[in-house]
Every structure is written in structure tokens, then in C-alpha cells.
Amino acid sequence: MKKLFLLLLLSTIGFAQNVNRKYISHQLNENVLEVKTSDGMYFLQLYNDKIVETSFVPNGEKFNPNSHAVVLKPDNNGFQFKQSTDYLEIKTNDLEIQIAKSPFKISYYKKGELLLSEKLGYFKRKHEPLEKVKGNIVYDSTEVIQFNINATEKLYGGGARVLGMNRRGNRLALYNRADYGYETRSELMNFTIPIVISSQKYMVHFDNAPIGYLDLDSKKENVLEYETISGRKTYQVIVGNTWEDLIYNYTELTGRQPLPPRWALGNFSSRFGYHSEAEARRTIQKFQDENIPVDAIILDLYWFGKELQGTMGNLEVYRDSFPTFEKMVDDFSKMGIKTIPITEPFILTTSKKWQEAVDKKILATDSIGNPFTYDFYFGNTGIIDIFKPTGKNWFWDIYKGLANKGVSGVWGDLGEPEVFPAAARTFGGTADEVHNIYGHNWAKLVFEGYQKDFPTQRPFILMRSGYSGSQRYGMIPWSGDVNRTWGGLSGQVEISLQMGMQGLAYMHSDLGGFAGANLDDELYVRWLQYGVFNPIFRPHAQSDVASEPIFRSDWAKNLAKQTIELRYQMLPYNYSLAYENSQTGKPLMRPLFFEEPENEALLTKSDGYLWGKDYLVYPIMEAKQKVKEVYFPKNGDWIDFYSNKKHVGGSTEKINVSENHIPTFVRSGVLIPMTKIVQTSNNYQNSNLDLHLYFDEKVTSSERQFYFDEGNNSSENNPELLTCETEISKEELLISMESNSLQSKGKNGKFHIYHLNKKPKSIIVNNKKMKFQYNKKSKKLEFDYLLSTNKMNIKIKLK
């Protein structure tokens, strides 16, 4: 990391400009409360009844209204404003902001409960005189916003880290940086998002891009601090009545993830990397020969050059290795395989595009306007100024050309940016001012380019770094260069759960691990088994040890095949989760405390999680583990997905572990959709739907909705929501299925109903008696169905 941060850790002298901060006056100006104080102006406005924004503008400065994160427009009509001799108060149904005039203090409440208050609020922190370090900038002062928080709340957020679920007690650097080969602890990674989430179900989002710190009570004084080198003194306080409500409100503020193409939920063939067209073709053919489903192939940097170093920035097909690139892409497409090439924002001085980049002035510059060049692992380089319109357009033209060659997605790597010296300058500001939003704006230019030039295609945008709100640009984040060890696997659930709570719900890992040449088939299989219940299923690694199951031992390959086949069988459920996320922001992977918010013990747990609402998943994180302790959330019973054994909600049990799968359980009493195994998602049919119900007489009614569409079109003309309900009485089980689409091709498949103690008397479907099969030993009922109209009612006579 830059020496800047090491220097800031040295002794500091704090002076609080607000020690003598005095209230002077206030006014309501178009529903914005403006409060004048002795050292600056506060501006408070409501976005809705659960989101308030506070900005401070010191005397002599002007307010900067530009946010890189926020897209919601304020709707601040529904509030009450009160004033007295001592206080100003803004109140909605959920939020209350109280401003004490003397001593000056702003406090935030949710339905009467104090959440947090400004302690010193905004102040400047002076730093001891320090020498200037060559190549870096030393800041003699930083800007701080400081709060009081309560003594017991757990704190989450700050982006992707491996610190434990409760991040309280840490001082988190806000400087996106790769952590190559990390394992059980990583304090600084590729996504450093300025968000703090409290176990009291509120968030504070610091709406400012430049580098800095989040201090989550590191000195154990019940203090929260945001510290930065410059920029906006703006933050939003967001509240929710439930965890889902909180994330809904945050993603309403910063934007929601568009629905990805359905094929993105399939299996990827990926490694670092395929050296030639012939190798790529052989690999895909072997997937076909082994009957292992696959939907996409990712091409690492050898598509534009033969060597690892010296070629980055060529950004054109290297014909010696990929002589018929366009035909390869087309051949893959006919097989149902999508092609995704890697790109990076660095243009090496030895690359084919260097002189063009210089001539067109699309690079970041030094202080006198020359291209800023520096050395890093891949060579001597400049970096594309994506904040400059000409740089943005130039880069998009590269992607447009690739799309016209038939590629189906974009992989943007090294976008922290991996190396970005502070002395560099861009159209959007200095390197340190734009560092953390580089990946965010990179995704934006790709997303907006697709909207303009390929408006019917849903883009796939795989990125290693981003910022608050990057989800609205369709960013698919991954957790960087994790070590290929059990230690590397151990932190992945925490990373995904934390990022899902921060809006980036597609966070996933290089399945099997990336870094190192560790050939460990058990680790590989356990990682892939965990990956079934991840937003993206993408094995990827350095090429010393194969990441693709087709090149592993027969034992690993066969287990991986079972795993991948299950992934494809779950497409209806997983695609419905993706749709739900696009509408509500709900993460696909959810902490257990979403299910039991009042269970204090769950607030720090990440050993198990919910996949959507109805799967309970406990990954295996240790070698040769025979037994796994599992807690079953109390709001219902849970059924072992593989053995059908029932487990009582609220209990903790030791579960015997199988090599064939990780401990996985489904919620009793609700319908679970599955489909047939297909070789690629191109072969998937919306009409093919099996439904599984784990009968539970205590669950007297349930409702689930499943989403279907054509899978790749952004301007979807025929989306379908299928509502499935159950109702149980003493004598019968009623199941209804209703589609909202008049153009639906219908549904057909099989019902599987488990845990029925007796053979039913009869099954009536739309007033017609149906044949069925009942296994007395397994207590399982099966029958075929055909939904040929928009609605079907099933009556199963139990007595």
C-alpha cells in the first residue's frame, strides 16, 4: 500500500474546529434544512422516510453536489419540522434527526431509539511534519467526520475483507488494492467501500470517493470515524425495519443490479490462461465429451500476446495463437458456449496501442500534461484516463469491436487500479481522488456502451474492483487472488455475505482457489461443492494445477460433475433469486441473522448461510472433516437435501459429513423448483419444471414466486412470474400454480412430495383425477402434471 497510509499511522494532532461550533441560524429551503454555524453550513435533506443525507460545508468552501454513488432523487415532502429554543427536529415515520443548538450536536434516531450522533462531527486533523516520500504525496492534514456509537452494536461493511463478520475494533484503509495469495486474514482488498452497517439495522454511507480510512472504534472508545484526504463532507444515514428492508433502502439509494444473462449462472471454463485457439477448442470439446455442463469460456491475457509481460495494452487478437478467433467464437456460440476475453486499463509502452494512446491523448498525465508512465510487474506503462470523454470513448470502441466479433461479456482485471501512483492526474482528479472509483467508472463505461450500441443484450461485466453503487452497472465482482489452500477457502463466505449486504450480491471466488500450485483434490471438490450455492460458478486458477474438472483425477472429476449437474438443476431457483435481487436488492447469499435477527449469537457467524430463503448451507472448510456442527434456524424445520432427514428448527446438531456433498438443507413446507440437467443453458426450457415439497403439517400455508424469461434480452417482452401456493387442512393438501403471462408456454414436470405418512386417497387436478405413485417406505409421493392454462389447482385428499 502507499506509504501515505503508513505515514498517517504516525502520531497526529487532532484539532476540532467544532469545539467552539455555535449554532447561528437555520432555514428551510425547498425542504432542505440549512443550519448555519460558526464554522460552516449544514445541509440536511430526506430522500424518503428512511434515508437522510447530511452535508457539512466549511466556511470558505462551496458545496459539491456530485455523487458517484447516489441515483435516488430526494422526495422529502413527508416530514415534520419542529423547532424550539434548544432544538431543531426533523421527523418521519421511521427517522428522527435532532439538532441541539448548545452545545451543538446532531443525533439520529429510529422510531425513538438513538442510533448514533456526531461527536466532534467534521474537523481537520493535522499531522506531524513529515518528509515528502518520493513518488507519493504526504498530506499534512486530513478531514474527519466523527460519531458516537453505542457500546454493544456489531459493525459490518467497509467492502471486502477477511476480518470476521463483526469488524468493530478495526481501522480500515479505504484504498482498493489486490492482496495476492491471502488466506485467513486480509485487512485490505480490492473493494474498500465507505459503508458502515450496524447490527441495529442502520447504515452510514460516506458519499465521497477519495482515499482514506474507516475507523470502527479501533480505540474502544465507542467512536466511529471517517477520514479522507479531500472531497465531500456528505453522508447518508439509512434505516430499515428488517435486514431485507435495510438493503432494499440502500439499493434504492445507489441503484440495483440488473438481471444478468441466464447463462451467467452456469459453469465457466477458465484458467490463467489458454495459450492458443487450439487449446481453447480442445478444452471445450473435452467438456462436451465428458458430458459436463459448461456455458462459457474465459480467455486470459494470451488472447492478445504470447508472453506474460510486455504485451498488455495490445487489446487486439494475437493471430499467431488465435488465427481464426472470430470463427472460434462463432463455433463456440453454436455449441451454446459464450466467450469472454480479459482486458486491463494499462497500456504498456511496448504495446501495439501505445503510440495511438499517446497521439489521442487518452492516458493519465503528469503535472505538465505528458503521459504518466511507471513500472509494474507487466512492464513500463501508462493507464487509460476513463474519466476523460476521449479516453472513455476510445476504450469503449475496443469493447464494441470485440462485441462485434461475437464475444458475450467483458472481464476487467487489475481495476483497483493495481498500481496507480499518487502523482498521476486524470480528467476526474488526482490518482488518490479517483483511485477507489476507477473500477466503478470502468464498469459504467462498459454498461452504458452496451445500452447505447447493443441495447437488447444483457452485458456480463466481471470486475475485480468497484465502489458504492457499482451493482447498478451490472458488475459481477470476485474476491481476487485467493490462495489455493483451506485457509483461502475459509474466508470466502464472510466476503460474499458482507458484500451482499453492501449491494454487490454477485461477489464470488475463483472456485478451487487461484494462487499457488497446490494439487489438493479434496480442497478442490469442497470448494466447488460450496460454489453450487454461490452467485457465480467459476473455477479459475494459475495454470500450474488445472482449474477445470475435466483435467482433474477421476475421483475429483466425478464429484465435480455431480456438483455442476446440481447447479444446472437449480437454474429455476437461482434465476428467480437473481430476479428478486434485481427488484429488491436482496442478496443471493444471506447471513443466518436475516432469519433470526434477534439471535445475538448469529450476528458474528459465517460458518453457515442461507442461499436465498429456502436453502441452508454449511460449507466444509477443513481437510478430512467427518462431522459438522449445524445450527438450524428456529422459524421452521429443515430437511437434509440428500437424505430427507428432518431437523427441528432452533436445534444444534452434529451432522456426519459425506464426500459427495456439503451439508445442505431445505426449508420444510415450501415448494422448491428444479429442472432437468442440460449441457448448456441454451438447452434449458422454461416449460420444464419439477417441484419438490417437504410436507410439514405445521406449515399450514406457503407462497413462493418463480421467474422465467428468455434469458438474455434486456428489453424482455414476455417475463413470467409463476406463483405457487400451498394450504394444508386436516383432510387435504391444496396446491395452486398461477402464471401471470398470457403467452406462457405452460409448465410440465413432476411433483415430488416427501414426508407424507400415508398414501393419499386421491389427487384431483382441475377437477380431474390423476394417477400417482406412493412409496410407503420412503413416504414419498410423485405424480406428473401439465400446466397448459394460466392456472392449476391440485387437491390431494389425505384422509
Side-chain angles (χ1 to χ4, degrees), residues 113-320:
E113 175 191 12
L114 177 63
L115 301 177
L116 76 165
S117 61
E118 288 196 355
K119 184 179 175 74
L120 297 179
Y122 169 80
F123 66 94
K124 279 194 173 181
R125 176 172 283 152
K126 289 280 189 178
H127 298 275
E128 296 284 5
L130 295 163
E131 289 184 25
K132 184 167 182 174
V133 180
K134 185 177 180 181
N136 290 292
I137 295 173
V138 175
Y139 299 94
D140 60 6
S141 69
T142 49
E143 299 184 280
V144 180
I145 307 175
Q146 187 185 77
F147 300 87
N148 299 298
I149 57 175
N150 79 38
T152 60
E153 62 191 302
K154 311 297 188 293
L155 299 178
Y156 315 99
R161 325 254 177 176
V162 185
L163 299 170
M165 282 297 285
N166 181 14
R167 294 175 173 179
R168 187 168 185 156
N170 290 281
R171 188 168 188 250
L172 308 178
L174 298 175
Y175 186 88
N176 292 352
R177 190 189 73 177
D179 186 3
Y180 177 82
Y182 70 91
E183 293 192 355
T184 57
R185 185 173 179 85
S186 182
E187 298 181 4
L188 185 61
M189 293 177 64
N190 317 71
F191 290 83
T192 61
I193 300 176
I195 297 174
V196 181
I197 307 171
S198 167
S199 57
Q200 290 182 261
K201 301 186 195 68
Y202 74 87
M203 290 185 183
V204 185
H205 172 243
F206 296 97
D207 194 357
N208 188 45
I211 63 174
Y213 280 97
L214 269 180
D215 192 315
L216 307 185
D217 193 29
S218 65
K219 296 179 182 178
K220 302 191 182 334
E221 296 174 343
N222 301 329
V223 171
L224 167 68
E225 275 191 359
Y226 170 71
E227 184 174 4
T228 183
I229 60 168
S230 64
R232 285 157 50 90
K233 276 65 76 173
T234 295
Y235 62 90
Q236 293 93 25
V237 176
I238 306 148
V239 301
N241 296 320
T242 64
W243 286 106
E244 292 87 349
D245 183 42
L246 179 63
I247 295 170
Y248 181 97
N249 296 330
Y250 170 71
T251 55
E252 187 174 36
L253 179 72
T254 60
R256 298 206 171 100
Q257 182 102 18
L259 186 64
R262 187 171 55 215
W263 61 261
L265 302 179
N267 178 32
F268 287 72
S269 177
S270 183
R271 67 159 63 180
F272 180 37
Y274 301 112
H275 289 256
S276 67
E277 177 179 333
E279 185 179 21
R281 286 180 179 274
R282 284 195 304 270
T283 300
I284 291 300
Q285 188 57 53
K286 191 163 177 60
F287 272 100
Q288 301 273 326
D289 294 342
E290 299 278 0
N291 292 317
I292 297 179
V294 65
D295 257 271
I297 185 168
I298 292 182
L299 303 179
D300 216 309
L301 45 75
Y302 298 110
W303 76 268
F304 56 69
K306 186 175 183 179
E307 303 299 330
L308 186 62
Q309 295 174 310
T311 60
M312 189 172 289
N314 283 348
L315 293 172
E316 60 185 54
V317 177
Y318 182 60
R319 295 292 176 180
D320 284 1

Side-chain angles (χ1 to χ4, degrees), residues 440-499:
H440 178 78
N441 280 270
W442 187 6
K444 178 183 179 183
L445 83 83
V446 175
F447 182 76
E448 291 179 347
Y450 268 90
Q451 286 184 315
K452 176 171 64 78
D453 292 322
F454 307 98
T456 63
Q457 183 176 344
R458 296 183 205 166
F460 177 83
I461 304 171
L462 181 65
M463 292 268 174
R464 200 173 79 173
S465 193
Y467 180 69
S468 313
S470 289
Q471 70 274 358
R472 68 176 178 266
Y473 300 127
M475 180 183 286
I476 304 289
W478 89 98
S479 60
D481 296 340
V482 59
N483 216 19
R484 196 174 349 203
T485 60
W486 291 97
L489 172 60
S490 68
Q492 296 309 308
V493 176
E494 175 194 341
I495 292 171
S496 289
L497 294 180
Q498 291 269 356
M499 289 291 281

Side-chain angles (χ1 to χ4, degrees), residues 718-720 739-746 788-790:
N718 189 29
E720 178 186 8
S739 170
N740 71 341
S741 173
L742 296 175
Q743 285 78 39
S744 172
K745 296 178 181 178
S788 56
T789 60
N790 285 82

